[in-house]
């Protein structure tokens, strides 16, 4: 089973969820050979709950994942922590939404939840916990105490960081860091639009029907990381497209523009 463990449904935090836009995302994910993905939308995106309300109308949900025409979409979210850094939480929809409700007072910069408090919330539920892009200059995780980072299940090998810092250099950096902590590394495209799918993904030895099975496979090392030779081109095109789409949206919503 090929799965991308770090994806987004919207162009940006400030944009609204679009069914047409996400249906295109799903088609592109499948065209790139993915069988599953984790939808880790930012926890403080505009109208977070609406994302899942819309998905409920779009695709059947079996208690573990949405079935988008054969593509499994596991619920999740990406959470900012006070110490600086992002954590991916993946699990059943009710657990993600419950955790999000407990973060209502922590959505603003300067008031994000402390790492240990977030881990307390996440460990009370059967969630997969991944440290996102640990060496990203703007939101690093490597500066946290190793005893804290031990509470995570894995670390994210992120397509955007591989493009920015060099594929081999970033992969080596993340792999060595995770090895020191005795943790596995998982791949995530971190895509906000369709072109980045397939840049990196995880190939599991067996299909997973639940997050518990997914977590077990990762902890047992029953998967392989795949990095596309076209990753730099895919991410560069994605960055350019995202920038252009944001400019178009600003023009369309500007006063006096018809």
């Amino acid at each position: 089973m090929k799965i991308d463990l770090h994806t987004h449904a919207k162009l940006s935090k400030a944009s609204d969820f679009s069914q047409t836009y996400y249906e295109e995302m799903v088609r592109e994910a499948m065209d790139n050979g993915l069988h599953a993905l984790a939808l880790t939308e930012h926890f403080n995106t505009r109208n977070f709950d609406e994302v899942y309300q819309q998905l409920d109308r779009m695709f059947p949900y079996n208690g573990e994942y949405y079935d988008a025409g054969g593509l499994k979409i596991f619920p999740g979210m990406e959470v900012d922590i006070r110490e600086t850094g992002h954590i991916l939480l993946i699990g059943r929809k009710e657990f993600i939404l419950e955790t999000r409700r407990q973060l209502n007072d922590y959505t603003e910069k300067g008031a994000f939840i402390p790492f240990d408090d977030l881990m307390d919330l996440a460990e009370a539920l059967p969630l997969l916990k991944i440290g996102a892009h640990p060496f990203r200059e703007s939101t690093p995780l490597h500066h946290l105490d190793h005893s804290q980072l031990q509470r995570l299940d894995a670390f994210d090998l992120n397509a955007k960081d591989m493009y920015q810092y060099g594929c081999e250099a970033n992969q080596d950096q993340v792999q060595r860091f995770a090895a020191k902590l005795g943790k596995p590394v998982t791949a995530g495209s971190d895509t906000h639009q369709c072109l980045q799918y397939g840049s990196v993904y995880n190939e599991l030895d067996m299909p997973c029907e639940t997050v518990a099975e997914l977590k077990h496979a990762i902890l047992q090392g029953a998967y392989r990381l795949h990095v596309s030779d076209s990753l730099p081109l895919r991410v560069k095109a994605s960055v350019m497209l995202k920038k252009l789409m944001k400019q178009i949206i600003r023009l369309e919503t500007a006063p006096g523009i018809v």
Side-chain angles (χ1 to χ4, degrees), residues 76 100 140 163 184 213 231:
R100 174 59 185 82
Y163 167 69
E213 290 176 356
L231 181 148

Side-chain angles (χ1 to χ4, degrees), residues 8 10 13 39-49 51-52 76-82 85-89 96 99-113 118 121:
H8 296 273
K10 299 162 58 175
K13 293 182 184 181
L39 177 56
T40 52
E41 190 54 71
H42 291 285
F43 85 113
N44 56 351
T45 194
R46 178 191 292 176
N47 300 324
F48 180 88
D49 285 0
V51 173
Y52 286 102
M77 64 179 169
E78 183 172 6
V79 183
D80 293 70
I81 57 170
R82 186 166 300 178
H86 292 177
I87 308 299
L88 307 176
L89 301 178
I96 294 298
T99 305
R100 174 59 185 82
R101 282 190 286 272
Q102 296 187 63
L103 296 173
N104 281 339
D105 295 331
Y106 300 102
T107 59
E108 299 298 327
K109 188 173 182 179
F112 295 144
I113 189 169
L118 178 63
L121 293 178

Side-chain angles (χ1 to χ4, degrees), residues 37-231:
L37 55 83
L39 177 56
T40 52
E41 190 54 71
H42 291 285
F43 85 113
N44 56 351
T45 194
R46 178 191 292 176
N47 300 324
F48 180 88
D49 285 0
E50 183 187 2
V51 173
Y52 286 102
Q53 291 167 8
Q54 292 270 24
L55 289 177
D56 286 340
R57 289 189 281 269
M58 293 170 64
F59 309 118
Y61 179 71
N62 67 4
E64 290 285 343
Y65 59 83
Y66 292 94
D67 184 353
L71 180 76
K72 299 174 182 177
I73 303 176
F74 290 93
M77 64 179 169
E78 183 172 6
V79 183
D80 293 70
I81 57 170
R82 186 166 300 178
E83 295 89 342
T84 302
H86 292 177
I87 308 299
L88 307 176
L89 301 178
I90 301 166
R92 293 171 62 176
K93 178 178 63 176
E94 63 265 33
F95 299 148
I96 294 298
L97 293 177
E98 172 58 28
T99 305
R100 174 59 185 82
R101 282 190 286 272
Q102 296 187 63
L103 296 173
N104 281 339
D105 295 331
Y106 300 102
T107 59
E108 299 298 327
K109 188 173 182 179
F112 295 144
I113 189 169
F115 176 84
D116 285 334
D117 290 351
L118 178 63
M119 290 298 99
D120 289 343
L121 293 178
E123 289 169 356
L125 297 167
L127 299 177
L128 174 60
K129 309 176 296 297
I130 301 173
H133 37 74
F135 287 92
R136 183 171 294 179
E137 291 180 2
S138 59
T139 52
L141 271 177
H142 63 85
H143 62 293
L144 269 67
D145 189 273
H146 282 197
S147 64
Q148 294 178 295
L149 295 173
Q150 286 286 350
R151 302 179 74 176
L152 296 170
D153 297 310
F155 289 97
D156 171 45
L157 180 65
N158 190 278
K160 289 182 179 179
D161 288 16
M162 296 181 78
Y163 167 69
Q164 183 172 356
Y165 306 126
C167 289
E168 292 185 7
N170 183 248
Q171 185 168 4
D172 181 64
Q173 189 177 40
V174 174
Q175 293 278 15
R176 286 190 290 106
F177 180 70
K180 287 182 180 179
L181 291 161
K183 299 294 181 179
V185 171
T186 58
S189 67
D190 201 359
T191 188
H192 284 258
Q193 45 66 45
C194 60
L195 295 182
Q196 215 158 293
Y197 283 125
S199 53
V200 294
Y201 61 88
N202 311 273
E203 185 171 9
L204 279 64
D205 294 345
M206 298 288 290
C208 292
E209 295 295 319
T210 69
V211 173
E213 290 176 356
L214 180 60
K215 183 174 180 176
H216 179 75
I218 291 170
L219 295 179
Q220 294 300 311
Y223 69 102
R224 293 166 300 285
L225 299 178
H226 287 271
V227 179
S228 171
D229 292 338
S230 62
L231 181 148

Side-chain angles (χ1 to χ4, degrees), residues 7-30 37 39 41 45 51 54-55 58-59 68 71 73 160 189-197 237-249 252:
T7 74
H8 296 273
K10 299 162 58 175
L11 183 64
S12 69
K13 293 182 184 181
S15 62
D16 292 318
F17 181 90
S18 165
Q19 177 174 332
T20 301
Y21 184 79
Y22 197 60
E23 285 174 341
E24 182 179 352
M25 296 273 282
V26 167
R27 286 194 297 271
E28 193 66 20
M30 296 179 71
L37 55 83
L39 177 56
E41 190 54 71
T45 194
V51 173
Q54 292 270 24
L55 289 177
M58 293 170 64
F59 309 118
L71 180 76
I73 303 176
K160 289 182 179 179
S189 67
D190 201 359
T191 188
H192 284 258
Q193 45 66 45
C194 60
L195 295 182
Q196 215 158 293
Y197 283 125
S238 298
V239 171
M240 295 174 69
L241 178 59
K242 183 178 179 182
K243 182 179 180 180
L244 179 60
M245 292 178 71
K246 284 184 174 181
Q247 290 174 342
I248 292 172
I249 291 172
E252 289 177 343

